[in-house]
């Protein structure tokens, strides 16, 4: 798996998501349950806002001094006998890991869930080198057995699958003969994976946080697979995005609390582990420990106006509240990082050429920003992306023409007023039940996915109502400022949407059924 | 080759300098290598939460939380501990027991049928094989965290990592005076010990109940890769 999970165009991906009724149901109920659990866990603390501010401050301090803390981390890992490799690109990272594996003549690799190893396409590189790579997180294991189906959520990767589909995967790939009860499926996977843990020569994990003063990595899990991955094989390779670091155990503790509550509504997950190279005298744990620190585009983000995105602790809370994610699902983002945070960082890591639509996959409602435990201004960053996309001329010709027309119309009060006067009659044939349902060319693309109220007759409009309303005493005094506004045309902006439409050519046949067609239909 | 030269050579092989220079450049300032001091954090919410609870209240908080994390809590005494543990092992179906080599086992005069103590005297493979074959693991907690229902354990030559994960059932004995309000106190204490020059074990485990997963249709399954069931015994 790489950052990119799907070669189809954005429209095709979203259409597939919206057409998948099971997936939408699963995502909806998962969101509802995770949302409630997060809220309960956050509220139980009583002063959640202060916790968030603390988390934000810790992340910002660490990022501001990132070179110092990474240097300290590397010194401490090496002092304890471990190896550190700094990888500027994903190719460097996965090549280093492949070289370590090959130097051990190892064939059997077991790993625990890690987004950054997906990002650097590590599994692919290792399998090409002839290794068996086993994902040991239950959700990831299911996806692997289903011919490496991409993950659709950063915390619950197999969210889009139901128990019957999982049973079928296990039955066809692993000769599973049991029923579809989650306990039975999980117990079956436990038995298979237990063998894999015991025979693996190399264990590969991600890293929730590196603890700089200790030279150790912190893993936050529930299944226990991360710990087995790091305890049993004789070589442990930990891979971290370079931003995932804290000064000491004290800050780690605060962030782990924020992470567990935000991700799954737990006070702490079942297993929170801080681990490093084995100390002399200890029996198990790795004889050889490697830490791979990955840049892969992060230093550009650090230098950019998007640097706050690096505060992310990968809790997935923003996915769980996002109305767009709810409807299109994780796969529609075409990235291993879906949802609001995915729409922010995927274009940064993968470029606008492939991902310029993602910043538009948002209603800008700001729910993501409100739940973010480290206060990343997610929806503001999406707007910043949109500004970049427009200023780089990456929007389509139709968009540019419409925007130009709109700006001309809206900056001339006279033109705006005269347009408003004829708006009702011009849109009458395009409208049904008070909504515009059809329009020519590019306008159809706009209203195809939005509810656009039909402009009202002039005599029913706000302005005529305002002028003809029953007046209280001294009405003239109140009226004076209004005249100013009218003269300067300031209030025009509130009707911006309606103003574009009168350019439409009437006369096309239309129907409510067409207007009610599913949003995001292909080839619109 | 001098020590500095050797260090620089390692640093070059690891790409460290170009990498960190680039990070500094992204931050728009020269590379920072002098000690950075942590700022005063603007809030003390982590220190304040449950901080004024009495030891009795903390026991109640711990017991209540254990209900939510599917963990049985048994209140016992040092005198009754052997009997409590024997009953528990029976209720888990008997079988072989693996325990840590913690000196408190002999301090409380505990012994079990068919048991094996994790030990640096035995080979790595032997310890792992015994842990994998064991039905029950028994350990003593270094700290217990009331808020989250967590036991904290440090790896040592007589207490390995796999000990906590391979056996089917997990029993942690908690001495009441080891209960602290939350993770804040335990992590601060460990960090203080470390900064004073003490060597910590290579692995610090914060364990809150049995392993679990909600990866299939968000339905909670208790018992995945780690233990299927967990019990805390308070003394």
């Amino acid at each position: 798996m790489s950052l990119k999970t799907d070669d189809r165009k954005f429209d095709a991906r979203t259409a597939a998501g919206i057409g998948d009724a099971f997936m939408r149901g699963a995502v909806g109920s998962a969101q509802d349950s995770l949302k409630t659990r997060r809220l309960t866990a956050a509220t139980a603390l009583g002063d959640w806002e202060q916790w968030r501010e603390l988390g934000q401050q810790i992340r910002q301090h660490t990022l501001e001094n990132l070179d110092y803390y990474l240097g300290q981390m590397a010194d401490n890992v090496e002092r304890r006998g471990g190896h550190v490799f700094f990888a500027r690109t994903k190719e460097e990272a996965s090549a280093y890991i492949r070289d370590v594996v090959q130097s051990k003549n190892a064939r059997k690799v077991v790993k625990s869930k890690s987004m950054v190893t997906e990002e650097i396409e590590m599994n692919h590189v290792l399998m090409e080198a002839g290794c068996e790579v086993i994902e040991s997180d239950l959700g990831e294991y299911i996806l692997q057995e289903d011919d490496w189906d991409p993950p659709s959520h950063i915390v619950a990767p197999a969210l889009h699958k139901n128990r019957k589909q999982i049973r079928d995967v296990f039955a066809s790939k692993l000769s599973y003969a049991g029923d579809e009860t989650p306990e039975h499926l999980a117990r079956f996977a436990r038995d298979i994976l237990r063998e894999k843990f015991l025979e693996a020569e190399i264990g590969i994990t991600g890293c929730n946080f590196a603890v700089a003063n200790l030279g150790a990595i912190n893993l936050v899990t529930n299944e226990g697979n991360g710990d087995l991955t790091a305890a049993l094989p004789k070589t442990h390779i930990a891979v971290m995005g370079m931003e995932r670091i804290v000064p000491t155990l004290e800050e780690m503790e605060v962030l782990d609390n924020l992470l567990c509550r935000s991700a799954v509504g737990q006070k702490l997950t079942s297993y929170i582990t801080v681990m490093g190279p084995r100390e002399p005298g200890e029996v198990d744990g790795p004889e050889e420990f490697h830490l791979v620190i990955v840049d892969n585009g992060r230093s550009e983000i650090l230098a950019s106006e998007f640097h706050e995105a690096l505060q992310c602790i990968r809790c997935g809370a923003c996915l769980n509240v996002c109305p767009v994610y709810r409807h299109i699902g994780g796969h529609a983002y075409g990235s291993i990082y879906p949802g609001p945070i995915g729409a922010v960082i995927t274009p940064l890591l993968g470029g606008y050429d492939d991902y310029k639509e993602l910043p538009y996959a948002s209603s800008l409602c700001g729910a993501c920003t409100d739940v973010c435990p480290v206060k990343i201004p997610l929806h503001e960053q999406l707007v910043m992306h949109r500004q970049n996309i427009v200023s780089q001329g990456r929007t389509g010709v139709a968009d540019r023409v419409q925007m130009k027309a709109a700006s001309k119309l809206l900056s001339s009060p006279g033109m705006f007023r005269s347009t408003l006067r004829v708006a009702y009659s011009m849109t009458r044939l395009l409208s049904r039940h008070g909504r515009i349902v059809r329009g020519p060319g590019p306008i159809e693309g706009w209203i195809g996915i939005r509810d656009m109220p039909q402009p009202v007759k002039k005599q029913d409009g706000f302005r005529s109502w305002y002028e003809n309303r029953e007046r209280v005493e001294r009405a003239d005094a109140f009226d004076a400022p209004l005249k100013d506004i009218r003269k300067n045309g300031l209030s025009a902006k509130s009707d911006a949407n309606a103003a574009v439409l009168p350019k439409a050519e009437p006369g096309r046949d239309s129907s409510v059924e067409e207007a009610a067609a599913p949003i995001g239909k292909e080839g619109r | 080759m001098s020590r500095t030269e050797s260090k620089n050579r390692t640093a070059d092989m690891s790409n460290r300098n170009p990498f960190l220079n680039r990070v500094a450049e992204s931050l728009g300032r020269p590379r920072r290598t002098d000690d950075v001091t942590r700022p005063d954090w603007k809030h003390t919410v982590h220190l304040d939460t449950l901080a004024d609870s009495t030891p009795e209240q903390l026991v109640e908080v711990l017991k209540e939380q254990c209900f939510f994390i599917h963990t049985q809590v048994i209140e016992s005494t040092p005198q009754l501990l052997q009997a409590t543990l024997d009953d528990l092992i029976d209720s888990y179906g008997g079988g072989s027991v693996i325990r840590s080599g913690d000196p408190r086992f002999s301090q409380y005069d505990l012994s079990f049928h068919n048991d094996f103590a994790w030990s640096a005297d035995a080979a790595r493979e032997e310890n792992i094989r015994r842990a994998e074959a064991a039905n029950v693991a028994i350990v003593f907690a270094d700290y217990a965290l009331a808020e989250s229902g967590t036991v904290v354990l440090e790896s040592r030559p007589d207490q390995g990592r796999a000990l906590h994960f391979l056996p089917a059932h997990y029993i942690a004995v908690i001495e009441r005076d080891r209960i602290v309000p939350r993770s804040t106190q335990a992590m601060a204490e460990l960090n203080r010990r470390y900064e004073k020059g003490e060597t910590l074990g290579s692995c610090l485990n914060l364990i809150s109940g049995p392993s679990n997963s909600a990866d299939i249709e968000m339905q909670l399954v208790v018992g995945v890769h780690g233990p299927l069931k967990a019990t805390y015994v308070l003394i």
Side-chain angles (χ1 to χ4, degrees):
Chain A
M1 202 85 36
S2 59
L3 178 73
K4 192 172 194 174
T5 58
D6 197 327
D7 286 328
R8 291 176 298 170
K9 289 206 175 308
F10 179 71
D11 284 351
R13 300 196 308 259
T14 46
I18 287 162
D20 185 345
F22 170 77
M23 182 280 293
R24 290 176 63 186
V27 169
S29 64
Q31 272 195 331
D32 293 343
S33 121
L34 288 167
K35 232 168 16 186
T36 316
R37 290 167 65 176
R38 186 205 71 86
L39 191 65
T40 312
T43 322
L45 280 172
D47 27 31
W48 183 244
E49 199 49 33
Q50 290 191 16
W51 277 91
R52 294 176 73 211
E53 286 172 9
L54 181 60
Q56 177 191 35
Q57 189 191 11
I58 290 172
R59 291 299 291 138
Q60 287 182 347
H61 164 77
T62 317
L63 289 171
E64 281 159 17
N65 297 287
L66 189 59
D67 50 342
Y68 170 76
Y69 285 118
L70 286 173
Q72 189 190 18
M73 176 73 190
D75 281 343
N76 285 316
V77 171
E78 283 167 3
R79 180 179 53 73
R80 297 175 65 176
H83 307 269
V84 181
F85 181 72
F86 288 88
R88 176 159 170 198
T89 62
K90 61 180 184 180
E91 289 81 11
E92 283 178 21
S94 45
Y96 176 83
I97 296 167
R98 185 197 57 215
D99 291 349
V100 170
V101 173
Q102 285 180 337
S103 75
K104 299 274 144 198
N105 290 318
R107 288 264 176 258
K108 292 174 188 289
V109 176
V110 67
K111 61 174 293 220
S112 68
K113 184 169 146 46
S114 151
M115 300 308 294
V116 70
T117 58
E118 305 270 358
E119 195 185 310
I120 64 171
E121 296 174 57
M122 185 194 75
N123 291 358
H124 176 72
V125 170
L126 291 182
M127 289 190 295
E128 219 153 60
C131 293
E132 176 193 65
V133 181
I134 301 286
E135 292 281 356
S136 62
D137 173 80
L138 181 57
E140 295 279 359
Y141 182 64
I142 292 165
L143 298 181
Q144 167 172 16
E145 288 305 320
D146 194 16
D147 304 321
W148 301 94
D149 191 23
S152 68
H153 188 286
I154 57 179
V155 174
L159 190 65
H160 56 286
K161 285 204 174 340
N162 65 21
R163 59 182 78 190
K164 186 176 171 306
Q165 292 168 317
I166 295 166
R167 199 265 322 268
D168 292 347
V169 169
F170 281 5
S172 69
K173 297 294 168 75
L174 302 162
S175 313
Y176 172 70
D179 62 14
E180 50 193 59
T181 315
E183 277 80 7
H184 298 162
L185 292 164
R187 210 51 58 85
F188 176 73
R190 172 190 166 102
D191 291 342
I192 293 181
L193 289 168
R194 184 54 73 91
E195 287 306 312
K196 301 289 182 191
F197 286 122
L198 290 166
E199 66 184 29
E201 297 147 299
I202 310 271
I204 302 180
T205 67
C207 165
N208 287 94
F209 301 105
V211 185
N213 75 333
L214 211 55
I217 64 149
N218 170 217
L219 283 187
V220 178
T221 70
N222 267 317
E223 296 181 6
N225 60 319
D227 292 271
L228 287 169
T229 302
L232 295 177
K234 289 191 174 163
T235 302
H236 175 196
I237 305 172
V239 190
M240 63 178 272
M242 69 173 197
E243 78 284 13
R244 307 291 289 278
I245 188 164
V246 290
T248 75
L249 287 174
E250 294 179 358
E251 292 74 33
M252 177 201 89
E253 181 268 328
V254 173
L255 294 178
D256 282 350
N257 274 270
L258 286 166
L259 172 61
C260 297
R261 285 179 197 252
S262 300
V264 282
Q266 286 172 283
K267 294 191 173 84
L268 293 179
T269 56
S270 286
Y271 301 115
I272 292 186
T273 309
V274 182
M275 51 178 104
R278 192 169 62 134
E279 288 294 331
E282 290 182 351
V283 174
D284 62 350
E287 287 168 4
E288 202 171 304
F289 176 82
H290 294 262
L291 177 66
V292 181
I293 302 173
V294 180
D295 182 328
N296 196 32
R298 288 166 171 77
S299 50
E300 280 92 348
I301 302 178
L302 190 61
S304 76
E305 71 267 41
F306 295 99
H307 60 92
E308 284 166 296
L310 293 176
Q311 287 164 218
C312 178
I313 59 174
R314 303 281 189 270
C315 67
C318 58
L319 279 63
N320 300 337
V321 296
C322 179
V324 174
Y325 177 87
R326 187 181 185 95
H327 290 289
I328 66 176
H331 285 170
Y333 292 80
S335 160
I336 55 167
Y337 300 117
I341 186 65
V344 169
I345 62 175
T346 303
L348 296 171
L349 296 171
Y352 287 138
D353 282 350
D354 282 342
Y355 294 110
K356 68 174 189 301
E357 295 88 358
L358 292 191
Y360 294 89
S362 166
S363 64
L364 300 181
C365 68
C368 47
T369 305
D370 284 348
V371 294
C372 177
V374 290
K375 302 191 75 144
I376 303 169
L378 288 159
H379 72 288
E380 289 167 24
Q381 297 209 330
L382 291 173
V383 174
M384 278 151 53
H385 269 310
R386 294 184 188 186
Q387 285 166 347
N388 289 348
I389 289 162
V390 170
S391 66
Q392 291 176 18
R394 287 173 179 276
T395 47
V397 179
D399 270 357
R400 288 204 293 275
V401 169
Q402 286 182 79
M403 286 302 158
K404 216 164 220 157
S407 87
K408 197 148 211 150
L409 195 66
L410 296 174
S411 54
S412 153
M415 213 144 107
F416 180 75
R417 265 198 303 275
S418 49
T419 310
L420 218 51
R421 213 168 296 135
V422 293
Y424 172 74
S425 54
M426 289 190 76
T427 56
R428 206 158 52 91
L429 288 173
L430 303 174
S431 306
R432 289 288 179 277
H433 304 300
R435 271 200 311 148
I436 297 178
V437 292
R438 295 301 297 260
I443 289 171
E444 177 128 2
W446 176 277
I447 58 178
I449 53 169
R450 289 169 182 84
D451 270 349
M452 177 81 80
Q454 186 192 3
V456 291
K457 289 178 192 155
K458 186 168 182 293
Q459 64 266 33
D460 296 336
F462 173 75
R463 280 156 188 257
S464 46
W465 169 84
Y466 192 83
E467 267 158 29
N468 300 325
R469 75 197 191 282
E470 268 182 49
R471 315 232 168 174
V472 293
E473 306 248 327
R474 295 177 59 230
D476 282 350
F478 284 104
D479 216 16
L482 182 71
K483 277 179 185 149
D484 283 349
I485 291 170
R486 224 183 274 145
K487 204 157 60 191
N488 298 322
L490 283 177
S491 60
K493 278 188 182 157
S494 61
D495 284 332
N497 288 344
V500 188
L501 285 152
K503 285 180 166 284
E505 289 164 25
R508 289 173 61 180
D509 188 29
S510 63
S511 70
V512 178
E513 286 74 28
E514 276 167 310
I519 50 174
K521 60 187 172 192
E522 278 188 65
R524 63 156 211 264
Chain B
M1 192 187 294
S2 77
R3 224 185 124 180
T4 335
E5 272 172 15
S6 139
K7 199 174 170 186
N8 281 343
R9 209 171 66 92
T10 327
D12 283 350
M13 280 168 61
S14 74
N15 274 342
R16 184 201 291 211
N17 286 325
F19 187 104
L20 294 183
N21 289 341
R22 200 175 144 80
V23 172
E25 202 180 296
S26 296
L27 289 162
R29 55 160 176 72
R31 174 101 168 260
R32 195 164 280 174
T33 46
D34 289 344
D35 267 0
V36 168
T37 41
R38 292 178 283 163
D40 287 334
W41 302 122
K42 55 169 92 161
H43 298 300
T44 54
V45 276
H46 54 313
L47 299 167
D48 301 339
T49 303
L50 293 175
D52 48 9
S53 307
T54 64
E56 292 73 28
Q57 286 170 327
L58 290 181
V59 169
E60 290 312 307
V61 173
L62 175 74
K63 281 160 62 182
E64 192 188 330
Q65 174 60 17
C66 284
F67 171 78
F68 293 110
I69 58 171
H70 312 275
T71 301
Q72 176 180 215
V73 179
I74 296 178
E75 294 190 76
S76 185
T77 65
Q79 292 73 33
L80 290 173
L81 183 56
Q82 177 76 58
T84 306
L85 292 173
D86 287 340
D87 286 351
L88 258 176
I89 295 166
D90 280 349
S91 77
Y92 282 149
S96 60
V97 171
I98 189 164
R99 61 177 181 86
S100 70
D102 195 295
R104 285 173 285 184
F105 280 96
S106 47
Q107 192 187 315
Y108 290 108
D109 204 17
L110 302 171
S111 65
F112 309 97
H113 298 295
N114 195 10
D115 82 332
F116 175 83
W118 188 278
S119 161
D121 295 337
R124 171 192 180 101
E125 287 70 23
E126 175 69 0
N127 278 287
I128 289 174
R129 192 184 64 75
R130 295 279 195 154
E132 157 63 12
N135 184 39
V136 182
I138 309 179
V139 295
F140 274 86
D142 295 338
Y143 306 94
L145 318 178
E147 184 196 39
S148 51
T150 306
V151 287
V152 181
L153 302 110
E154 201 181 321
S155 63
R156 293 189 293 263
D158 62 7
Q159 179 166 280
R161 303 183 183 194
L163 171 62
H164 312 294
F165 296 93
L166 288 175
H169 302 97
Y170 189 70
I171 301 172
V173 183
I174 300 169
E175 296 156 308
R176 284 169 191 263
D177 59 1
R178 305 269 178 146
I179 303 176
V180 296
R182 65 194 315 279
S183 44
T184 311
Q185 290 78 14
M187 291 303 109
E189 169 72 8
L190 284 165
N191 190 52
R192 194 186 55 75
R193 281 169 46 195
Y194 174 74
E195 288 192 335
K196 267 175 60 188
E198 199 177 312
T199 304
L200 300 181
S202 73
C203 189
L204 308 172
N205 287 108
L206 280 71
I207 297 176
S208 313
S211 64
N212 64 83
S213 171
D215 275 351
I216 301 174
E217 288 191 11
M218 297 301 296
Q219 186 175 316
L220 185 72
V221 174
V222 178
V224 187
H225 296 302
L228 310 174
K229 285 179 178 162
T231 298
Y232 298 155
V233 177
L234 296 182
I235 55 168

